[in-house]
């Protein structure tokens, strides 16, 4: 409990900021008993580095990532009869940075982020990784504030439409499609290259290129190696001339 209380030693600067946070809650249909927790969720680590805040949102993001995964997995298990492999692909698609960032923009999260001057200048408010991380931090904060059921309702409000979209598009295994197409014309397999791996163990980002002979496609980023490879494969499928 002491560490949790310590995390919450962060202040809401003024009444206008409080109104903005309350307006955000109304917009996304959530109710926070403790707005300080929500405020912390908007603090990027760069804000702490430049002395704008005492705490950042990384611990809340760590928690929110687990809640997001649990809610999504439970929903898929209860509502779909697909085999485990299909469920894993759907889950990976809808909880990915690529899926969460547009939701964050739609919610107006970019306007409420608090970050350092350097990150602000580099376009931090539009960076998918920062937006997705903040989404997870908000989920974590809401779980602590109002419990699992409330957090579940919030997550399902944007996860169910994302799942339905994936199901409508079909489960596309871009790596398999790319291998089939490239082997057909070259008798060779695509080669995936790990360019970079960053972040702590609980929140890593993988950067992958895919080589089709002397052609290179990427870089593609993902929260795990498979996700990054799938995105790199999609880039190659979209841009390589298979004729």
């Amino acid at each position: 409990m002491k560490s949790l209380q310590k995390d919450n030693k962060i202040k809401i600067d003024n009444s206008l900021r409080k109104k903005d946070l309350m307006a955000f809650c109304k917009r996304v249909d959530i109710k926070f008993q403790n707005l300080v927790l929500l405020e912390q969720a908007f603090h990027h680590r760069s804000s702490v580095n430049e002395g704008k805040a005492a705490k950042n949102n990384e611990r809340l993001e760590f928690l929110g990532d687990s809640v997001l995964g649990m809610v999504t997995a439970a929903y898929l298990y209860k509502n779909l009869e697909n085999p485990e492999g299909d469920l894993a692909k759907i889950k990976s698609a809808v909880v990915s940075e690529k899926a969460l960032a547009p939701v964050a923009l739609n919610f107006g999260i970019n306007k409420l982020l608090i970050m350092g001057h350097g990150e602000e200048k580099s376009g931090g408010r539009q960076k998918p990784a920062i937006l997705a991380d903040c989404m997870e931090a908000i989920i974590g904060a809401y779980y602590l504030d109002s419990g699992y059921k409330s957090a579940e309702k919030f997550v399902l409000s944007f996860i169910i439409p994302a799942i339905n979209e994936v199901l409508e598009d079909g489960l596309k295994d871009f790596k398999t499609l790319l291998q089939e197409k490239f082997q057909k014309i070259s008798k060779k397999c695509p080669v995936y290259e790990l360019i970079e791996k960053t972040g702590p163990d609980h929140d890593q980002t993988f950067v992958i290129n895919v080589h089709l002979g002397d052609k290179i496609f990427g870089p593609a980023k993902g929260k795990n190696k498979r996700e990054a490879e799938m995105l790199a494969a999609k880039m190659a499928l979209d841009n390589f001339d298979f004729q």
Side-chain angles (χ1 to χ4, degrees):
M1 288 300 295
K2 288 183 179 179
S3 63
L4 177 58
Q5 290 169 356
K6 186 178 180 181
D7 275 353
N8 287 341
K9 287 183 178 178
I10 191 168
K11 295 179 180 179
I12 300 175
D13 290 339
N14 52 53
S15 58
L16 180 60
R17 178 68 179 182
K18 186 175 181 179
K19 288 180 181 178
D20 287 341
L21 293 174
M22 292 174 69
F24 170 80
C25 289
K26 185 176 182 180
R27 185 162 63 248
V28 302
D29 194 25
I30 58 178
K31 294 180 180 179
F32 263 83
Q33 301 171 59
N34 181 5
L35 279 178
V36 172
L37 268 173
L38 177 60
E39 173 70 339
Q40 185 180 337
F42 285 106
H43 281 70
H44 184 256
R45 64 176 177 270
S46 62
S47 66
V48 178
N49 296 340
E50 295 187 14
K52 291 185 177 182
K55 292 288 178 183
N56 63 43
N57 64 6
E58 288 183 337
R59 282 167 55 84
L60 289 174
E61 175 203 332
F62 163 73
L63 178 61
D65 177 64
S66 294
V67 176
L68 172 64
M70 179 62 198
V71 170
T72 304
Y75 178 85
L76 291 170
Y77 180 83
K78 291 175 183 176
N79 291 277
L80 297 180
E81 296 294 331
N82 300 54
E84 182 272 341
D86 285 356
L87 299 183
K89 289 176 187 175
I90 297 170
K91 178 175 177 286
S92 177
V94 300
V95 304
S96 67
E97 176 185 300
K98 183 180 179 181
L100 291 177
V103 176
L105 284 172
N106 186 50
F107 285 170
I109 284 173
N110 56 315
K111 298 175 183 177
L112 291 170
L113 278 164
I114 294 177
M115 58 183 59
H117 180 67
E119 191 63 67
E120 181 93 46
K121 281 191 69 177
S122 69
R125 291 188 184 278
Q126 303 298 320
K127 289 181 180 178
I130 291 177
L131 291 167
D133 289 349
C134 188
M135 277 288 295
E136 292 176 344
I138 291 168
I139 294 167
Y142 197 36
Y143 167 76
L144 289 176
D145 182 83
S146 301
Y148 182 81
K149 283 296 181 183
S150 294
E152 179 185 46
K153 181 182 177 183
F154 174 53
V155 169
L156 291 178
S157 71
F158 57 84
I159 282 294
I160 291 176
I163 290 171
N164 290 338
E165 185 175 336
V166 170
L167 292 173
E168 287 173 8
D169 289 345
L171 292 169
K172 299 175 181 176
D173 186 337
F174 297 119
K175 287 184 66 177
T176 300
L177 288 173
L178 180 63
Q179 181 165 321
E180 290 174 351
K181 285 193 170 190
F182 188 57
Q183 281 186 324
K184 188 174 181 179
I185 64 169
S186 70
K187 309 301 181 185
K188 297 178 181 179
C189 290
V191 176
Y192 294 89
E193 177 188 11
L194 178 62
I195 302 299
E196 187 180 17
K197 181 172 71 172
T198 59
D201 289 344
H202 72 272
D203 184 30
Q204 293 184 327
T205 297
F206 292 79
V207 182
I208 298 283
N209 279 343
V210 60
H211 296 250
L212 302 184
D214 60 354
K215 300 288 186 181
I216 302 175
F217 298 91
K221 295 181 180 180
K223 288 293 187 180
N224 55 61
K225 192 175 179 181
R226 176 173 172 75
E227 180 185 335
E229 288 178 346
M230 291 284 272
L231 293 173
K234 186 177 188 305
M235 287 183 185
L237 285 166
D238 290 343
N239 295 284
F240 187 77
D241 184 4
F242 291 96
Q243 301 300 321

